[in-house]
Amino acid sequence: MKIKFFALITLSATLIIMLAGCPTPTKFTLTVTTSPDLALDIRIDGTLFTSPKGMIVNSGTTKQISVDTSQQKDISSWLTGIDSRYVFSNWNDASTSNPRNVRVNSDTTYTADMNAEYRIDRASTPSLWEVFSTWYERGSEVEFSTFQQLETYNFSHWLINGENRGSSNPIVLVIDKPLLITAVYAQQQAQYTLTVTTIPETGLNISIGGTNYTSPKTVILNSGTSRAIEVTSPQEKDKSAQVTGTDTRFTFIQWSDTNTNNPRTITLNSDMTYTAEMKVEYKVTTGTNPAGGTVDGAAWYMAGTVKNFTAPVRTGYTFSHWVVNGANMGDANPITVNVNSPKNVIAYYNAETTTKNVFGIVTPYTGNIKTADLNEMEILSNTEIRTTNDKPEYIENEYLLKVESFKEVEESFSTSSLPEIQIIGRIEDYYGELQYIHVRTTASEKELKGLPGVVQVSRNSTFYALETTPNDTYYSLQWNYPLINLPRAWDYAVGSRSVVVAVIDSGFSTNHPDLAGIFESGYNFVNNNTNVSEPTTSIDSHGTHVVGTIAALTNNGKGVSGVTWGGFGITLIPIRGIKGAAALMNSIIYAVDHGAKVINMSLGGAVDSPAVYDAVKYAARNGVVMVAASGNNGDGNILYPARYPETIAVGAIWEDEGTIKISPYSCYGSELDVVAPGGYKLLGTDPNGIYSTGWTPTGDTYMYMQGTSMATPHVTGLVALLMGAGLTDPDDIRSVLRSTAIDLGSPGRDDYYGWGLIDAGAALEAITSPQEFKVFLRNPSTGSNIASTNLSDSGAYHFSNVSLSQVKVYAWRDMDESGTINIGDLLGYYNYSGGEPNLNNAQTITLSGGDNWIDFQFAPIIGD
């Protein structure tokens, strides 16, 4: 193979050497055309063409060109037959030779200027005379008139090639093409309607016969009546509440029949409408807040004008942002404003102060971390609805006694005739102003109130973590969530945008109303493009269903709920990758390289692919948690990739009249980690399935499905909740899932249920030392941190009273809890826009007095 390859190279080289002695001739374009009209007969070397005609010729070639003269054409659809006549005048280079020979040494165009005549046909409607024709030279200015009255008809208006040109009689036209001039007549009536209006806006001041109106106005007049019509010009109106006084100016241009007289007198012989076309100008006012500055540019502008405004430098103030017509338009300076309405442009300033505050939003970067492909994202928010028992509950025989003196009351316990009073503990504040004794006794509340020194007695009432209940329409059908104690988990967390989850599946309905806005850009490794939508042949909407369980929009009053509350619970990357080992391997690597820390794989195969396993190990080395379905074959052979020790293998269970059972199809074995609800249904609408978002070729929907594929996203969602709440190390996550699982089957771990059914509430409660996502301020001169704060679930942070004028700001999550920045950790800083995060690249920021808003992005540090 190598010998053939080198032989081909040698032959090609020889061919190149041979061709080097024969230079390729230079080519140019020769174009022959006509004016004022095209599609006329021309000839090049005697061959007939229609203009324009271009051809490529060798440099130095001589061609004979000509135009036929005279010639006749039918160029207008309004006239029948020949309507244009042409006679050659000269070429565009002043040559009058025709034909002529030309030598081509460059790209050249020759235009034959033709003297043109056009046919003008005159007709009437209804047909009151025979159509008659006249020929006129192009450019002639001709006056046409018609009878004002004819038989029982009154002249109404002209139609010129079908266009209404008004009722002026006579009418003057410039002949620039063939014309069909039609005099339109209306049957004589006693009265007609006259309408006067304005564009582009109505409500303007007009007059008819000297009486003032606002447009549009319709009056009824006797046939043949003449009236003066007029639009006030210029006139100003107050159209906007944002600009004080009149803010819109209208100036007359012409009437709709192109007449420019204002006022004008018309004679009404039919129902007619006259529209005044107006030029519109808008007033722009400017100012500053606080007052005292001047922003140049306050004036009247033509509608649609684009104008730049600049906030001036003001002593003692720092420019903050623009407000245009009451809306915050950001801090770009200058700002570009489209004057499409009256505008009030205000530059806002902050008074300079020594106090500096830093605010911002930190979001995941989900472009390719290795190629720095920026991908902006939106931060959303939501509210929680929490419920608890509505009946009071108390710890039996326990009371809280508010006292004036511990000593007096405690001594009375031994001297009173009440049943034994056991002191559980004292409760007091630092200053001793609040003093309570916590006791246990069978004495009554009334008896305890009678003790000396007791000010108040209250029973020891119980408090519970409020179990969060979403208001989604179909939440009552999601039996699977209470089964894993998810409402209790939602008391602790509903998800964090800092957690990036990738879902590798069959396709996704990215426009589903219950999934709107949850997706970042993804990739399709089945078809090698960026379209991750469900294939049009999809019959089960597998990927759409899986994603709904992980992150459907929750507490939005419709549809279903997600384990994480979609919309602000996580950042989700959709990947179509269910095909072969190559697609799956690419999908896993893509997920890691685009910042995913959790990967859902509701998929499986019977073959141990070394390539896929290499990708799984690559993800594991980078601290990514992979959750995979055990398989639906109902045997003891767990499928790949769930079979790999680096993944969390998930089996499926269902609830049979209150009893939790393994789903008959769920694969089992020694590699199984945990189980989650996957359902078991005998019919398509069997409520023992998992209800989630769905899609069919007829549109978006909701549907029941079953399988370990449906169980897996429950675990993925829980992992995302744990990670957002501060449990970040993959080994710790696996340990918590196992230790908090509800034991099923044989005591301890077994091959059918693994470590048991996931318990979301217990898992969240097990986090004792959360690894917070921290934001730091650093002194760029010393390299030391001067302050830190925790990033909120929505990605927000805040520092108050910063003393330094220059800082660096960065965010770090120590995913493996090592105490040092290394592979797998999340790191970001101001000006990060892709590539491997490196704290040395953080940009120094000069702070102004007052509030400084600094947003930035983060990404994982990826190793080999």
Side-chain angles (χ1 to χ4, degrees):
M1 190 66 179
K2 290 183 178 179
I3 295 173
K4 291 181 180 179
F5 176 74
F6 287 122
L8 179 61
I9 294 297
T10 304
L11 178 61
S12 299
T14 303
L15 181 60
I16 292 170
I17 293 170
M18 293 173 63
L19 292 176
C22 302
T24 303
T26 303
K27 305 281 188 181
F28 293 111
T29 300
L30 169 65
T31 303
V32 181
T33 187
T34 54
S35 174
D37 297 325
L38 303 177
L40 302 188
D41 297 336
I42 61 170
R43 300 177 188 271
I44 302 177
D45 285 345
T47 302
L48 180 65
F49 301 100
T50 57
S51 64
K53 173 62 181 178
M55 62 173 57
I56 298 174
V57 299
N58 291 334
S59 175
T61 299
T62 298
K63 292 287 183 182
Q64 185 186 74
I65 63 174
S66 65
V67 59
D68 288 3
T69 181
S70 63
Q71 54 180 296
Q72 303 179 114
K73 296 292 181 180
D74 178 2
I75 70 171
S76 173
S77 61
W78 290 99
L79 282 71
T80 302
I82 299 299
D83 52 34
S84 305
R85 300 192 295 220
Y86 304 92
V87 176
F88 173 73
S89 173
N90 56 268
W91 297 96
N92 59 316
D93 60 357
S95 171
T96 58
S97 298
N98 184 44
R100 65 183 292 196
N101 293 326
V102 297
R103 185 178 179 85
V104 182
N105 291 311
S106 63
D107 292 335
T108 307
T109 297
Y110 291 92
T111 302
D113 293 328
M114 311 293 287
N115 293 325
E117 290 182 304
Y118 298 123
R119 193 179 99 214
I120 309 301
D121 285 2
R122 279 175 276 187
S124 66
T125 182
S127 181
L128 301 178
W129 61 74
E130 295 291 332
V131 176
F132 60 96
S133 302
T134 309
W135 289 85
Y136 293 95
E137 290 185 1
R138 177 185 173 87
S140 300
E141 186 175 284
V142 183
E143 180 181 278
F144 297 92
S145 63
T146 189
F147 301 104
Q148 196 66 34
Q149 292 182 335
L150 192 61
E151 298 177 3
T152 59
Y153 294 92
N154 288 335
F155 172 70
S156 172
H157 60 279
W158 298 100
L159 289 180
I160 311 297
N161 284 359
E163 179 186 359
N164 186 331
R165 295 292 292 273
S167 61
S168 296
N169 187 19
I171 185 172
V172 177
L173 300 176
V174 176
I175 309 302
D176 59 356
K177 58 180 171 290
L179 298 177
L180 173 60
I181 302 175
T182 303
V184 179
Y185 285 83
Q187 187 75 43
Q188 290 178 355
Q189 298 179 26
Q191 292 182 319
Y192 295 104
T193 60
L194 168 65
T195 301
V196 180
T197 187
T198 53
I199 58 172
E201 295 188 28
T202 57
L204 303 188
N205 300 331
I206 61 172
S207 69
I208 301 174
T211 302
N212 295 328
Y213 303 100
T214 57
S215 64
K217 177 61 180 179
T218 299
V219 296
I220 299 175
L221 300 174
N222 292 332
S223 175
T225 300
S226 295
R227 285 286 186 273
I229 62 173
E230 182 180 7
V231 58
T232 304
S233 178
Q235 56 179 293
E236 296 181 3
K237 296 289 185 180
D238 185 355
K239 294 280 189 176
S240 172
Q242 300 292 335
V243 176
T244 302
T246 57
D247 49 42
T248 306
R249 184 160 63 196
F250 301 91
T251 305
F252 174 76
I253 301 173
Q254 64 179 12
W255 297 97
S256 51
D257 61 359
T258 71
N259 187 299
T260 57
N261 294 324
N262 182 46
R264 65 181 291 195
T265 299
I266 58 94
T267 300
L268 195 64
N269 290 309
S270 64
D271 294 333
M272 289 297 295
T273 296
Y274 291 88
T275 302
E277 299 175 10
M278 310 296 286
K279 178 181 75 173
V280 182
E281 297 172 283
Y282 295 121
K283 182 189 289 184
V284 175
T285 56
T286 61
T288 62
N289 188 333
T294 300
V295 177
D296 293 335
W300 288 91
Y301 293 93
M302 283 279 293
T305 299
V306 176
K307 172 69 176 175
N308 287 339
F309 295 89
T310 302
V313 175
R314 298 180 63 190
T315 302
Y317 295 93
T318 302
F319 172 69
S320 171
H321 62 281
W322 294 98
V323 172
V324 179
N325 284 4
N328 187 327
M329 301 302 292
D331 59 0
N333 192 28
I335 186 176
T336 300
V337 176
N338 182 356
V339 186
N340 53 11
S341 65
K343 300 291 184 182
N344 185 30
V345 181
I346 304 298
Y348 274 67
Y349 293 81
N350 292 325
E352 292 180 353
T353 173
T354 56
T355 300
K356 307 176 191 70
N357 304 314
V358 178
F359 301 83
I361 297 291
V362 183
T363 55
Y365 175 83
T366 56
N368 190 320
I369 295 166
K370 295 183 177 178
T371 60
D373 183 18
L374 186 63
N375 182 13
E376 297 291 342
M377 58 192 300
E378 181 183 5
I379 300 300
L380 304 175
S381 63
N382 209 329
T383 56
E384 300 178 15
I385 298 176
R386 298 167 182 257
T387 61
T388 187
N389 299 322
D390 57 3
K391 295 182 179 180
E393 295 182 341
Y394 306 97
I395 300 177
E396 187 176 5
N397 295 332
E398 289 192 12
Y399 296 90
L400 293 171
L401 310 182
K402 185 176 183 180
V403 301
E404 295 177 340
S405 166
F406 286 128
K407 182 178 180 182
E408 178 186 7
V409 175
E410 290 172 358
E411 287 178 350
S412 70
F413 291 166
S414 58
T415 59
S416 71
S417 58
L418 299 181
E420 179 185 3
I421 301 174
Q422 179 184 351
I423 298 175
I424 298 174
R426 291 179 173 180
I427 304 171
E428 63 180 324
D429 66 354
Y430 179 81
Y431 297 102
E433 294 178 356
L434 289 178
Q435 295 184 337
Y436 280 83
I437 304 175
H438 182 192
V439 301
R440 182 181 296 114
T441 179
T442 58
S444 69
E445 185 174 347
K446 182 178 180 180
E447 290 173 325
L448 293 172
K449 286 181 180 178
L451 293 173
V454 173
V455 178
Q456 176 184 296
V457 178
S458 58
R459 297 179 65 183
N460 193 19
S461 56
T462 55
F463 288 81
Y464 297 92
L466 301 179
E467 292 194 353
T468 302
T469 304
N471 63 8
D472 302 279
T473 307
Y474 302 129
Y475 177 72
S476 60
L477 302 180
Q478 295 180 282
W479 56 268
N480 38 314
Y481 288 167
L483 199 66
I484 61 172
N485 206 9
L486 189 56
R488 184 69 172 272
W490 285 333
D491 289 332
Y492 297 92
V494 294
S496 169
R497 285 304 299 268
S498 67
V499 179
V500 181
V501 176
V503 179
I504 303 172
D505 219 290
S506 61
F508 313 87
S509 176
T510 55
N511 295 319
H512 194 293
D514 222 6
L515 302 175
I518 73 167
F519 295 102
E520 293 298 315
S521 299
Y523 199 79
N524 178 344
F525 286 102
V526 176
N527 304 114
N528 290 316
N529 58 41
T530 57
N531 181 11
V532 297
S533 300
E534 289 274 7
T536 56
T537 56
S538 173
I539 59 174
D540 61 5
S541 69
H542 190 275
T544 301
H545 194 279
V546 166
V547 166
T549 299
I550 297 174
L553 298 181
T554 304
N555 206 39
N556 61 343
K558 63 182 178 181
V560 295
S561 303
V563 176
T564 67
W565 285 21
F568 76 107
I570 59 171
T571 297
L572 195 142
I573 301 175
I575 305 173
R576 280 194 66 195
I578 299 183
K579 185 177 181 182
L584 181 54
M585 180 185 185
N586 271 316
S587 298
I588 296 171
I589 294 173
Y590 180 95
V592 176
D593 290 352
H594 286 72
K597 300 304 290 184
V598 187
I599 301 177
N600 186 95
M601 293 182 283
S602 291
L603 52 89
V607 177
D608 178 6
S609 165
V612 171
Y613 192 29
D614 279 345
V616 167
K617 289 185 287 187
Y618 171 68
R621 288 195 300 273
N622 282 283
V624 178
V625 178
M626 292 162 284
V627 187
S630 67
N632 298 334
N633 298 331
D635 57 24
N637 298 308
I638 290 180
L639 300 180
Y640 297 97
R643 200 162 182 169
Y644 296 131
E646 290 82 1
T647 67
I648 296 173
V650 182
I653 56 91
W654 68 299
E655 188 176 32
D656 182 11
E657 296 183 354
T659 301
I660 299 174
K661 297 180 179 179
I662 187 171
S663 301
Y665 54 77
S666 182
C667 289
Y668 52 88
S670 59
E671 299 88 354
L672 188 69
D673 288 290
V674 290
V675 292
Y680 177 51
K681 62 192 186 81
L682 302 176
L683 299 172
T685 58
D686 190 333
N688 287 316
I690 303 300
Y691 202 62
S692 185
T693 47
W695 180 89
T696 70
T698 61
D700 295 308
T701 185
Y702 298 89
M703 60 177 60
Y704 287 104
M705 293 183 70
Q706 64 178 346
T708 54
S709 286
M710 283 61 256
T712 301
H714 289 78
V715 181
T716 296
L718 176 54
V719 169
L721 290 177
L722 292 171
M723 197 170 284
L727 191 67
T728 55
D729 183 84
D731 290 335
D732 291 344
I733 291 173
R734 187 189 300 269
S735 176
V736 165
L737 290 177
R738 290 175 173 179
S739 64
T740 60
I742 302 168
D743 192 14
L744 300 172
S746 302
R749 192 207 166 277
D750 62 71
D751 287 351
Y752 289 92
Y753 296 95
W755 293 90
L757 174 65
I758 59 169
D759 185 329
L764 266 295
E765 291 172 349
I767 301 176
T768 57
S769 300
Q771 189 63 38
E772 301 290 354
F773 205 147
K774 289 189 172 295
V775 183
F776 299 87
L777 287 183
R778 172 167 287 189
N779 186 329
S781 300
T782 64
S784 59
N785 296 331
I786 60 172
S788 68
T789 187
N790 294 335
L791 195 66
S792 73
D793 286 341
S794 66
Y797 73 93
H798 173 217
F799 293 98
S800 298
N801 300 321
V802 180
S803 59
L804 294 181
S805 296
Q806 289 190 322
V807 296
K808 291 184 176 182
V809 57
Y810 72 95
W812 171 41
R813 191 168 217 172
D814 187 5
M815 299 295 286
D816 60 358
E817 303 176 14
S818 65
T820 59
I821 298 175
N822 53 24
I823 292 173
D825 287 356
L826 303 180
L827 182 65
Y829 40 83
Y830 181 70
N831 81 312
Y832 172 74
S833 60
E836 182 175 343
N838 186 330
L839 200 52
N840 293 328
N841 297 329
Q843 180 175 326
T844 297
I845 305 163
T846 299
L847 301 179
S848 60
D851 295 340
N852 297 264
W853 193 271
I854 303 171
D855 296 341
F856 60 94
Q857 295 182 304
F858 69 86
I861 300 173
I862 297 176
D864 297 330

